[in-house]
Amino acid sequence: LKDMGKALSELFTFGKLAREQELPVEVTFGLIGYLAKADRIITSHEAEFVNQLMDELNLPTQGKAIASAAFDRGRLRKIDVRAEAKRFLGAYPRGTVELNRLYDTLLRLAAIDGRVFARERVALEELTDALGFSRETLAARLEAIGGTEA
């Protein structure tokens, strides 16, 4: 039924992503790609996480294409993390649900396999700074989700 509902939805939206969703999808998946590749290998856990997130967000065909392209740019280091964070913060300033959701998504990705490797930690610190969170917040949220240092 879920698949049928999605198919019907795509018929009415022509598989297009709403304009106001493009920025959060581009930034989120770009930063996810950047973080996933931080330790030089994208694990099956991380790939599954990305696919599940696309499903959870109920992205139409165009949205999945935008998300995949952004993920690849991040993975290939063809994004400026600070510029992407600034773009996101311009639409969703500190304290917004959207910013906290993005940050939590990045933390969950890093801890998906139960541990955070040194290179992932460095990337997380870079993302934490760019998004305006403190290092104390990073440590507390990682501990809360069970992301231990490897």
Side-chain angles (χ1 to χ4, degrees), residues 1-13 58 60:
L1 260 140
K2 182 181 174 186
D3 291 337
M4 189 186 216
K6 186 167 173 84
L8 285 173
S9 172
E10 293 229 359
L11 278 175
F12 294 111
T13 63
N58 204 21

Side-chain angles (χ1 to χ4, degrees), residues 7-67:
L8 285 173
S9 172
E10 293 229 359
L11 278 175
F12 294 111
T13 63
F14 303 104
K16 295 196 182 281
L17 185 66
R19 193 145 187 71
E20 64 273 4
Q21 291 178 308
E22 288 180 19
L23 175 115
V25 168
E26 284 178 358
V27 173
T28 297
F29 285 91
L31 296 181
I32 286 173
Y34 183 85
L35 181 58
K37 190 68 175 190
D39 60 358
R40 299 204 174 133
I41 186 164
I42 297 175
T43 67
S44 61
H45 295 292
E46 291 165 331
E48 251 179 65
F49 178 89
V50 172
N51 289 327
Q52 285 176 349
L53 183 59
M54 284 186 199
D55 288 342
E56 283 174 26
L57 296 174
N58 204 21
L59 293 178
T61 304
Q62 182 194 30
K64 287 182 179 182
I66 289 170

Side-chain angles (χ1 to χ4, degrees), residues 128 133-141:
T128 295
F133 289 93
S134 70
R135 299 283 174 96
E136 291 78 23
T137 299
L138 171 62
R141 288 193 184 184

Side-chain angles (χ1 to χ4, degrees), residues 106-147:
L106 294 169
L107 294 173
R108 283 187 7 244
L109 173 71
I112 195 78
D113 58 3
R115 55 192 184 273
V116 178
F117 293 96
R119 287 188 175 126
E120 286 175 312
R121 179 64 184 228
V122 169
L124 274 176
E125 288 173 354
E126 180 182 6
L127 291 164
T128 295
D129 294 344
L131 293 170
F133 289 93
S134 70
R135 299 283 174 96
E136 291 78 23
T137 299
L138 171 62
R141 288 193 184 184
L142 274 178
E143 185 177 328
I145 61 173

